[in-house]
Amino acid sequence: MIYTVTMNPSLDYIMQLETFEEGKLNRSIFEQIDVGGKGINVSIALKHLGRISTPLGYVAGFTGDEIEKRVSSHGLIPDFIKLIHGQSRINIKMKHVEETEINASGPTIEKEDLEKLYVKLEHLTEGDILILSGSMASGVDHNFYADVMKYLEGRKIRIVVDAAGSILKTVLPYHPYLIKPNQHELSEIFGQKILENQVEEYACKLVTMGAQNVLVSLGENGAILVNKQVYRSIAPRGEILNSVGAGDSMIAAFLASKLNGESDQIALEKSVAMGSATAFSYGIAEQEAADILYKEMVK
């Protein structure tokens, strides 16, 4: 089984503006509401790639009800913990010349709420995959992902972590199956600015520090995968319409490819194709769109 954890899900209210003036009345020319949260995005992308997963996490209030409804509409069966306090967040994604985001804080997670999640995680067994993705909710300790990995240690569960660099640093001693830092997060982990020509060097260091696989997106320059070897992939060309969910789509495609028994090089290329397909669309891409880009990349 595959499980994703989203500590602080959201409804993402996306608005496209033709013009924008600060301090003035601005009107959108396009609106869209999507369910948000990195773990949820991974689950949706996996579904598009033919793999079913169970989304775990927390929801609260009427927005939480809508999040659960929208996740279910993707053919998934969520197993969220419903909080009795607060409201799940609504995030604003404003697209004009540049993309501007306003993310709400969301509800506070109490100790007894965390204990309910551990009860669900207790059922994971050998061969399962767990994806810990995104920022911590209010009230959750910075080391929570590391604590989860310590709790599950020895069960032969493949754990993927996609979070801020400071959080990634805490999980390395527990040998995550996959981490997906970007260039900025590499800089966070090592406390210095990492240039693009240094990414491979520092990704290799993360392997020596405990990560089994390190996947780093390099934007229009493709991506690299580092484990015992270094793999590179070019990126397809296209118009970027939406950056939300692109990295989550990469994780989903990498896992789907490896579960299909494909090589690391193919898994990397398919992850780039799926991430790019999402970036070139207004939502999580379907497999057909990713397949078209993959064929273009490898021909």
Side-chain angles (χ1 to χ4, degrees), residues 35 111 187:
V35 64
K111 182 180 179 182
S187 299

Side-chain angles (χ1 to χ4, degrees), residues 147-158:
D147 291 341
V148 168
M149 294 188 70
K150 183 178 180 180
Y151 177 73
L152 297 173
E153 198 170 19
R155 298 196 194 184
K156 297 182 180 179
I157 298 165
R158 284 173 282 183

Side-chain angles (χ1 to χ4, degrees), residues 22-290:
E22 188 174 350
K24 300 289 182 69
L25 173 64
N26 298 278
R27 297 187 185 278
S28 66
I29 57 175
F30 170 80
E31 303 94 28
Q32 178 176 311
I33 298 178
D34 290 332
V35 64
K38 292 180 70 61
I40 290 172
N41 290 338
V42 174
S43 280
I44 294 171
L46 282 168
K47 180 66 166 55
H48 291 179
L49 295 168
R51 292 284 176 174
I52 298 298
S53 62
T54 300
L56 304 174
Y58 297 92
V59 293
F62 77 97
T63 44
D65 293 340
E66 184 64 19
I67 287 169
E68 193 162 28
K69 176 182 174 182
R70 286 175 178 262
V71 170
S72 299
S73 73
H74 286 277
L76 298 166
I77 303 177
D79 190 17
F80 294 133
I81 295 164
K82 295 185 178 180
L83 303 174
I84 60 173
H85 49 270
Q87 302 282 350
S88 292
R89 56 193 181 146
I90 299 176
N91 296 334
I92 307 298
K93 314 289 183 180
M94 189 181 74
K95 300 176 185 293
H96 182 232
V97 176
E98 294 183 328
E99 186 175 300
T100 301
E101 299 185 28
I102 304 173
N103 287 353
S105 57
T108 298
I109 308 299
E110 307 291 349
K111 182 180 179 182
E112 55 267 30
D113 301 322
L114 287 178
E115 290 171 353
K116 292 177 183 177
L117 181 57
Y118 276 106
V119 169
K120 294 181 183 295
L121 296 177
E122 176 63 32
H123 298 291
L124 272 65
T125 58
E126 181 177 347
D128 286 342
I129 297 173
L130 175 65
I131 297 119
L132 304 169
S133 216
S135 60
M136 298 301 172
S138 176
V140 180
D141 188 81
H142 178 82
N143 295 316
F144 176 70
Y145 288 166
D147 291 341
V148 168
M149 294 188 70
K150 183 178 180 180
Y151 177 73
L152 297 173
E153 198 170 19
R155 298 196 194 184
K156 297 182 180 179
I157 298 165
R158 284 173 282 183
I159 300 180
V160 177
V161 184
D162 182 18
S166 56
I167 295 174
L168 287 179
K169 194 172 183 178
T170 68
V171 305
L172 292 174
Y174 302 100
H175 307 289
Y177 174 70
L178 174 69
I179 61 174
K180 200 201 71 61
N182 57 33
Q183 193 172 330
H184 172 73
E185 287 160 350
L186 282 176
S187 299
E188 267 192 277
I189 292 170
F190 292 101
Q192 64 183 81
K193 186 174 182 178
I194 306 299
L195 303 176
E196 188 169 313
N197 62 4
Q198 297 176 301
V199 166
E200 179 183 323
E201 174 189 354
Y202 283 90
C204 288
K205 288 185 179 182
L206 291 178
V207 173
T208 64
M209 293 167 68
Q212 297 178 51
N213 294 280
V214 180
L215 176 60
V216 186
S217 172
L218 300 174
E220 63 181 15
N221 293 321
I224 67 169
L225 172 69
V226 179
N227 42 49
K228 294 179 181 179
Q229 300 182 55
V230 178
Y231 303 88
R232 293 186 172 276
S233 173
I234 61 171
R237 298 294 178 234
E239 180 185 0
I240 296 178
L241 301 175
N242 166 47
S243 62
V244 176
D248 309 316
S249 297
M250 290 183 70
I251 288 174
F254 181 87
L255 289 173
S257 179
K258 293 305 296 179
L259 288 170
N260 290 337
E262 294 172 332
S263 69
D264 287 343
Q265 182 64 44
I266 291 175
L268 172 61
E269 291 165 349
K270 287 192 172 180
S271 75
V272 172
M274 184 64 177
S276 299
T278 291
F280 299 161
S281 63
Y282 283 112
I284 303 297
E286 298 287 347
Q287 182 170 359
E288 183 181 5

